[in-house]
Amino acid sequence: FLIDWINATLKQEHIVVKSLEEDLFDGLVLHHLLEHLGSLKLDVDKIALTEKKQRQKLSVILEAVAKCLQLEGDQQKWSVESILSKDLLSTLHLLVAIAKHFQPDLAIPANVQVETLTIQVIIVFIFATMDYRIHSQGLICLELGRNVADDAFDELFSHAPDRLDAVKQVFLQFVNQHVGKLGLNVQDIESQFADGVILLLLIGQLEGYFLNLRHFFLTPASPTEMLHNVNLALDLLTDGGLLNFSVNSE
């Protein structure tokens, strides 16, 4: 409705809006709209190409809107930053306020509700104190000192336990990308890494070598055999320069 209203209002100026977020954030359309509806002459450039210019232009425009609509700061459900960042809800609030003031007879749809959802997409986490390097097989290896490792993961467990599942999924995808070449599939990090077999096969895949089956237990039947596998994996990581802090194999 708002898009159709803007396009009808600015038709003679050959302005066509297709997206409220993409077409209004820089202030150009808002500038033309206010000049047409309220005969407002704003001391701003017609076209602002840089973000700094766009921010300055929006500031002037929104000050003019607040003055015309006689709005105090806490009555404005928008800001320069929210409009500039293409926040749809802020843009809707602004346009409805302008429409109601300058064209009170406009048949704006009644009882409109907007449900907002805040979505966090966790792709990967890297703590600033971690150092990383690109492995020859494409793996990003985190080289952590003892305190750094403790700080990083303790922070995750203590303050963001809800993110653990997302972090696990990142690692699972990485592991399966490599052990999948052996016809294996890991679904649970805790249980399937406990006996050291997957870890050893993963190391072999990443380093590009074959582990002699006589050196480890492919189907460990006791805690002692599992511990042997894990210790071997840790030794290989240490020898390869990928592990420079101690890990309790148990």
Side-chain angles (χ1 to χ4, degrees):
F1 178 87
L2 290 169
I3 288 176
D4 291 342
W5 167 63
I6 294 172
N7 288 336
T9 303
L10 301 180
K11 183 177 181 180
Q12 293 182 347
E13 299 183 47
H14 306 290
I15 291 177
V16 178
V17 171
K18 295 182 179 180
S19 166
L20 294 181
E21 303 100 303
E22 298 295 332
D23 295 339
L24 273 75
F25 80 95
D26 61 358
L28 176 63
V29 174
L30 289 172
H31 185 185
H32 282 275
L33 192 61
L34 289 173
E35 283 191 339
H36 184 89
L37 294 173
S39 299
L40 298 177
K41 297 300 180 183
L42 303 176
D43 186 20
V44 292
D45 296 332
K46 283 289 184 181
I47 299 177
L49 297 178
T50 66
E51 183 177 326
K52 181 179 179 180
K53 290 288 187 180
Q54 291 168 355
R55 183 176 279 104
Q56 292 173 345
K57 183 172 184 175
L58 281 172
S59 180
V60 173
I61 290 173
L62 296 185
E63 284 180 12
V65 170
K67 185 175 181 180
C68 287
L69 277 57
Q70 298 181 340
L71 297 175
E72 299 296 333
D74 57 352
Q75 294 177 301
Q76 300 177 44
K77 299 179 180 180
W78 57 83
S79 66
V80 171
E81 294 303 323
S82 65
I83 300 298
L84 190 61
S85 63
K86 305 178 184 180
D87 182 80
L88 178 58
L89 190 57
S90 296
T91 305
L92 289 172
H93 278 301
L94 175 60
L95 290 175
V96 170
I98 292 173
K100 284 185 175 181
H101 178 79
F102 290 107
Q103 288 190 252
D105 58 338
L106 196 65
I108 297 177
N111 302 320
V112 175
Q113 295 182 346
V114 178
E115 181 178 358
T116 59
L117 301 176
T118 301
I119 301 174
Q120 276 190 318
V121 180
I122 303 173
I123 300 174
V124 68
F125 69 101
I126 297 179
F127 293 88
T129 52
M130 290 183 178
D131 181 30
Y132 65 94
R133 66 184 180 85
I134 303 300
H135 187 270
S136 60
Q137 297 296 324
L139 166 66
I140 296 181
C141 301
L142 301 181
E143 300 183 314
L144 313 176
R146 179 191 298 271
N147 293 335
V148 175
D150 290 343
D151 290 344
F153 286 99
D154 285 347
E155 190 76 14
L156 182 65
F157 277 87
S158 300
H159 300 290
D162 55 314
R163 298 187 178 185
L164 285 175
D165 287 340
V167 173
K168 288 179 183 178
Q169 287 303 314
V170 172
F171 288 131
L172 279 175
Q173 290 174 11
F174 167 74
V175 171
N176 285 322
Q177 177 185 352
H178 295 282
V179 300
K181 301 171 185 177
L182 301 175
L184 300 173
N185 179 262
V186 177
Q187 296 181 337
D188 184 82
I189 288 179
E190 289 92 335
S191 63
Q192 289 182 266
F193 269 79
D195 61 11
V197 176
I198 295 293
L199 184 55
L200 284 169
L201 296 175
L202 176 63
I203 293 171
Q205 284 294 299
L206 294 172
E207 292 289 355
Y209 57 66
F210 174 74
L211 284 169
N212 194 313
L213 295 179
R214 292 180 298 177
H215 293 164
F216 71 102
F217 298 94
L218 188 60
T219 55
S222 68
T224 301
E225 293 179 351
M226 295 180 185
L227 196 59
H228 169 85
N229 287 349
V230 174
N231 279 319
L232 175 59
L234 295 178
D235 288 343
L236 291 172
L237 290 173
T238 302
D239 292 343
L242 302 178
L243 191 68
N244 57 11
F245 60 94
S246 61
V247 173
N248 188 330
S249 56
E250 294 183 355

